[in-house]
Amino acid sequence: MENKKLWGGRFGQGAAEILDKFNASLPFDKKLYKQDILGSQTHAKMLAHCGILTHEEAQKICVGLEQIKSEIEQGSFEFVLSDEDIHMAVEKRLTQLIGEVGKKLHTARSRNDQVALDFRLFVLDSNRNLRALLLELIATLLEIAKPHTQSILPGMTHLQHAQPVNFGFLMCAYANMFMRDFERLESSYKRNNFCPLGAAALAGTPYATDRFFTAKALGFTAPTLNATDSVSDRDFALDFLYECSMIAMHISRLAEELVLWSSYEFRFITLSDAYSTGSSIMPQKKNPDVPELLRGKSGRVYGNLLSLLVVMKGLPLAYNKDTQEDKEGVFDSFETLELSLRILKDTLKTMSIHTDSMLKACKRGHLSATDLADFLVQNCNIPFREAHHITGKAVAYAESLGKDLSELSVEELCSVDSLIPQTAHQSLDLEKSMNSRNSYGGTSTEATKAQIASIEAWWNCALAALQNSAPLDSTTPYKES
Ligand code: ARG
């Protein structure tokens, strides 16, 4: 059997059939068709700009590529496994469509820099898409936070009642995590926005090309500096996979809160019917499958990061076929997060929030204990360790009465220790307790409102940065008011 591959010149025999299946990336890299066609059109224009092709030739190539794009989009393009990858599938079709001139497109480039370009463009597009979705999620968290800066619930450490906080404050905590995720993506976008096309196989090209022309036309900051590095490393994809892992981790933490909060033990929220599922055997059940899946998806996203780290470990310069393994994990992490971020946002938007159960939960666990101790320190000149001990006695006394500390009467409280004045009773009030934590970044209603305002200021800068590809000034939320 004669070898019909585009690279088949030096081969007498065709490849074994099973090899096509093993070797080909076409089944998954066809997803890169848009990037591939845009890259090729830009390359053809650059070749014409430099006098390597005529303008008519470049024009013919661009029109042919445009037709291929519509064939792919209309589903009439025939993908053949033996074409190996999207780059060769497109090039072969181009020559079928426009004849010999199609064979000139691959002048002064190689598949090595071609795939490095296509994949990098995909990663950068995905980076921007995730940032837009993060902004929508942060806006949703703010929307929920705003009417709940006075909704008191138990703040926890070790999943034990610790101090009263407000619900808006907790939403702001998550907003801050997603803000950093946005900033991480933004910083790697800036670092990786350099064009590898023109690096050719590994060492550059003898043709008098203009890599700055290509880079500019494709929206990159500049061409990459070193040809061998350009075709060999995949750190730009690893940056992205790491950033995806961090987002997945934050999503999974918030999802876990939703699972807990929607249980009968908490009942702080109820998930909307549209975002929960039933049990096939227990008719009464409404399960939080959606947040559970949001939590569970982190597994595959972390896995994709680790896989590519292992693929890249120890690879010598320059291009190695191992790197063909870089794509599926990135596609999967992006698609997983794109869906997860949308679903998380909708789940949050549609849940109902039960401030009465939150307040009721505050009556368990002696949340105002720290406040009583602080009161004794601040007003009675009692050293903190001693105040801590006296408060401990008050907690034990309340428990012996079957009450929460906040439910003790003035008399009951004063009976615990002669050092406790009547005025100490006011420190047990939950709302006062929450509002007493008025330090910068604290949970008081006032401090929470200030945080919301800062996040909003950040959000507006982040949106402008995303729209204009301008750098974000991440000091925005930290300005002193
Ligand atoms: N399908 C290949 C990949 O994804 C394209 C580059 C192939 N280059 C080569 N010299 N075999 O990495």
Side-chain angles (χ1 to χ4, degrees):
M1 101 186 116
E2 197 205 336
N3 196 306
K4 295 244 176 62
K5 299 271 190 198
L6 288 187
W7 44 250
R10 59 107 63 215
F11 289 78
Q13 237 188 11
E17 220 171 282
I18 192 171
L19 182 69
D20 275 343
K21 208 168 166 205
F22 188 65
N23 192 38
S25 50
L26 189 57
F28 51 86
D29 71 10
K30 59 184 178 195
K31 199 189 268 301
L32 297 175
Y33 78 91
K34 260 191 208 152
Q35 288 84 356
D36 196 70
I37 285 171
L38 177 67
S40 289
Q41 287 173 328
T42 311
H43 183 65
K45 285 177 196 158
M46 183 279 291
L47 290 175
H49 168 77
C50 297
I52 300 165
L53 292 185
T54 67
H55 285 285
E56 294 69 49
E57 287 172 328
Q59 176 67 11
K60 252 186 155 174
I61 289 173
C62 288
V63 171
L65 288 166
E66 210 51 37
Q67 180 172 341
I68 295 174
K69 189 159 84 183
S70 47
E71 286 178 5
I72 295 177
E73 284 169 357
Q74 280 155 21
S76 61
F77 188 94
E78 200 197 345
F79 288 102
V80 192
L81 197 62
S82 59
D83 286 341
E84 269 188 55
D85 54 31
I86 186 66
H87 325 296
M88 294 212 287
V90 169
E91 197 188 321
K92 190 182 86 179
R93 179 71 184 135
L94 183 67
T95 305
Q96 283 172 359
L97 281 174
I98 65 169
E100 288 299 294
V101 59
K103 294 183 179 170
K104 293 190 175 183
L105 171 61
H106 213 51
T107 313
R109 76 168 186 192
S110 131
R111 263 192 299 157
N112 297 349
D113 57 338
Q114 199 180 347
V115 71
L117 171 75
D118 295 2
F119 192 40
R120 197 181 282 239
L121 285 173
F122 180 88
V123 169
L124 292 171
D125 284 348
S126 307
N127 177 311
R128 292 177 61 88
N129 287 336
L130 288 189
R131 273 190 280 155
L133 289 169
L134 282 168
L135 285 187
E136 287 180 28
L137 177 61
I138 293 166
T140 301
L141 289 165
L142 284 182
E143 244 169 71
I144 299 175
K146 278 185 193 166
H148 286 292
T149 56
Q150 306 192 41
S151 308
I152 303 179
L153 78 167
M156 313 242 183
T157 62
H158 313 269
L159 204 62
Q160 305 285 328
H161 287 199
Q163 289 169 352
V165 296
N166 70 71
F167 191 61
F169 176 69
L170 298 190
M171 293 297 104
C172 287
Y174 280 104
N176 273 270
M177 297 181 212
F178 294 117
M179 285 158 68
R180 289 191 295 276
D181 290 337
F182 180 102
E183 292 186 6
R184 253 183 289 280
L185 284 165
E186 205 222 4
S187 87
S188 71
Y189 189 96
K190 199 166 128 227
R191 177 164 54 255
N192 296 319
N193 193 29
F194 290 86
C195 182
L197 195 66
L202 77 162
T205 170
Y207 296 93
T209 53
D210 183 349
R211 291 191 59 208
F212 280 87
F213 177 98
T214 312
K216 225 194 252 164
L218 287 169
F220 287 105
T221 308
T224 48
L225 262 179
N226 177 283
T228 279
D229 171 50
S230 313
V231 294
S232 78
D233 206 10
R234 292 293 183 266
D235 57 353
F236 62 94
L238 284 163
D239 275 348
F240 182 71
L241 288 172
Y242 167 70
E243 288 149 2
C244 286
S245 299
M246 198 69 96
I247 297 171
M249 183 272 285
H250 288 147
I251 290 176
S252 81
R253 295 191 61 193
L254 180 47
E256 167 66 5
E257 309 279 14
L258 299 182
V259 171
L260 285 174
W261 291 344
S262 62
S263 71
Y264 276 110
E265 282 67 27
F266 285 82
R267 260 304 177 251
F268 292 172
I269 59 165
T270 311
L271 297 173
S272 116
D273 284 356
Y275 289 91
S276 16
T277 46
S279 156
S280 56
I281 177 166
M282 296 165 279
Q284 85 284 11
K285 289 203 71 181
K286 182 161 152 181
N287 291 329
D289 288 32
V290 171
E292 285 170 305
L293 272 174
L294 289 170
R295 190 176 60 186
K297 295 279 182 196
S298 55
R300 62 199 294 159
V301 177
Y302 296 178
N304 293 332
L305 169 63
L306 200 65
S307 295
L308 187 55
L309 279 172
V310 177
V311 166
M312 293 308 295
K313 179 191 172 294
L315 283 189
L317 292 173
Y319 176 82
N320 297 276
K321 187 80 167 199
D322 312 45
T323 55
Q324 181 166 288
E325 294 290 316
D326 59 3
K327 293 171 203 54
E328 287 160 289
V330 166
F331 295 159
D332 180 68
S333 284
F334 171 64
E335 277 157 29
T336 302
L337 283 185
E338 196 188 23
L339 207 56
S340 298
L341 286 166
R342 284 181 204 282
I343 291 186
L344 175 58
K345 182 191 72 183
D346 292 344
T347 308
L348 290 167
K349 271 197 164 151
T350 54
M351 70 189 184
S352 14
I353 297 165
H354 308 307
T355 51
D356 49 340
S357 325
M358 292 180 182
L359 191 62
K360 213 163 130 204
C362 290
K363 305 273 166 64
R364 293 191 300 263
H366 315 291
L367 285 173
S368 35
T370 320
D371 302 275
L372 176 58
D374 285 339
F375 182 93
L376 297 175
V377 171
Q378 286 171 335
N379 300 283
C380 310
N381 199 25
I382 300 175
F384 182 77
R385 201 39 69 206
E386 174 81 11
H388 186 284
H389 183 75
I390 295 172
T391 305
K393 284 199 302 184
V395 166
Y397 180 57
E399 291 215 325
S400 76
L401 300 179
K403 287 185 174 181
D404 185 73
L405 186 62
S406 62
E407 292 167 333
L408 288 184
S409 66
V410 181
E411 295 71 36
E412 286 167 340
L413 180 64
C414 293
S415 74
V416 171
D417 194 295
S418 58
L419 290 174
I420 304 179
Q422 288 199 349
T423 47
H425 189 255
Q426 64 189 25
S427 70
L428 301 183
D429 180 74
L430 289 167
E431 198 180 315
K432 279 206 185 93
S433 161
M434 192 261 290
N435 280 323
S436 71
R437 297 199 168 76
N438 196 27
S439 52
Y440 185 86
T443 192
S444 72
T445 296
E446 193 189 325
T448 304
K449 283 184 175 164
Q451 286 167 48
I452 291 173
S454 296
I455 297 172
E456 272 179 337
W458 176 93
W459 195 95
N460 288 323
C461 293
L463 181 67
L466 185 60
Q467 284 170 346
N468 314 324
S469 296
L472 168 69
D473 176 6
S474 61
T475 62
T476 305
Y478 311 111
K479 303 233 161 79
E480 276 185 65
S481 47

